[in-house]
Amino acid sequence: MMITFDSQRTLDQSAMMSSREIATLTGITHGEVKRIINGLETAQRFTQPVTVSLYEREGETYQEFFLNKRDSLLAVARLSPGFTAAALDRWQEREKRDNLPDFTNPATAARAWAEQYEQRQIAEQRLALSAPKAEFFDRYVQVEDSLGFRQLCKMLRAKEPEFRQFLLERNIMYRVSGVLTPHHHHLQAGYFTLRSGVGENQHTFSQARFTAKGVKWVASLWAGYLATQSRSAAA
């Protein structure tokens, strides 16, 4: 179910994220973002109905959707998991603006500075934990040409079956007649390129290759996956 508002002025936008903002954040077209949101709404994956609002551009009227924090993060994760952290950062910046303490009150100011110090300590601890991941990622950012699946596996020193399953489970790619194919929104985001050719039997074929941008993106996701596996094994 969707709720329609005639004007954005009736919305508390500080508590919601628009589909246009998600499109800008992820680099995916607004139409594709709305399609994914519609799918999640139909599958009843959201915690509350999607809010629909109208806006004008160049004399034409268009629809955009508004989602709460949890639902917007779910939509971003479905569209492009690599941007989930960026979406969370966007929410935290917004919440920080909406909850600025009254620094004219000495007690309030003292509590705010204490909380900031504590948050800084937590951030430094997280940074220390993520250092191995960052080191792993930095080894693979110097890519100038596109890479095929096997080339990328060799670069990441990943076993092909495990890496293939990783791509499938995270909806990065899917199978078409047994061939790994990137989802359309990942193509639009510039993570993949398709190369066509003619085989020895004169049959045309299309091969998906990771662009330099795609290599950096998927290497970061893979590093996070390996870090999670390592922590699970140590537990």
Side-chain angles (χ1 to χ4, degrees), residues 79-229:
L79 283 160
S80 186
F83 286 97
T84 306
L88 183 58
D89 290 342
R90 183 74 61 88
W91 272 108
Q92 290 176 339
E93 291 172 4
R94 181 179 298 176
E95 290 165 351
K96 188 181 296 183
R97 288 197 304 268
D98 294 339
N99 295 285
L100 286 175
D102 179 11
F103 286 104
T104 61
N105 184 317
T108 301
R111 283 195 297 270
W113 286 118
E115 290 174 0
Q116 185 181 33
Y117 178 75
E118 182 181 5
Q119 290 172 359
R120 185 183 303 164
Q121 285 186 314
I122 293 173
E124 289 174 352
Q125 291 172 357
R126 289 177 177 172
L127 182 61
L129 290 173
S130 65
K133 174 182 174 180
E135 181 182 356
F136 175 96
F137 173 68
D138 287 343
R139 293 205 302 264
Y140 306 110
V141 297
Q142 302 300 326
V143 178
E144 297 180 357
D145 194 12
S146 61
L147 298 179
F149 172 79
R150 289 187 174 177
Q151 289 175 301
L152 185 55
C153 284
K154 289 180 180 179
M155 174 178 283
L156 298 177
R157 300 173 187 171
K159 295 180 180 179
E160 289 187 16
E162 183 181 9
F163 190 62
R164 184 181 296 108
Q165 191 64 25
F166 165 81
L167 296 174
L168 294 172
E169 288 180 351
R170 281 156 181 76
N171 292 319
I172 296 172
M173 304 186 81
Y174 64 102
R175 292 182 185 274
V176 176
S177 300
V179 178
L180 284 177
T181 304
H183 284 278
H184 182 64
H185 55 273
H186 291 320
L187 271 171
Q188 287 188 318
Y191 297 138
F192 292 90
T193 183
L194 293 179
R195 290 189 178 179
S196 301
V198 179
E200 295 179 357
N201 55 4
Q202 299 303 308
H203 287 173
T204 59
F205 67 89
S206 180
Q207 181 191 40
R209 297 176 65 85
F210 295 84
T211 62
K213 179 181 178 181
V215 170
K216 297 175 186 179
W217 171 64
V218 82
S220 178
L221 297 178
W222 178 248
Y225 165 78
L226 293 180
T228 301
Q229 295 296 103

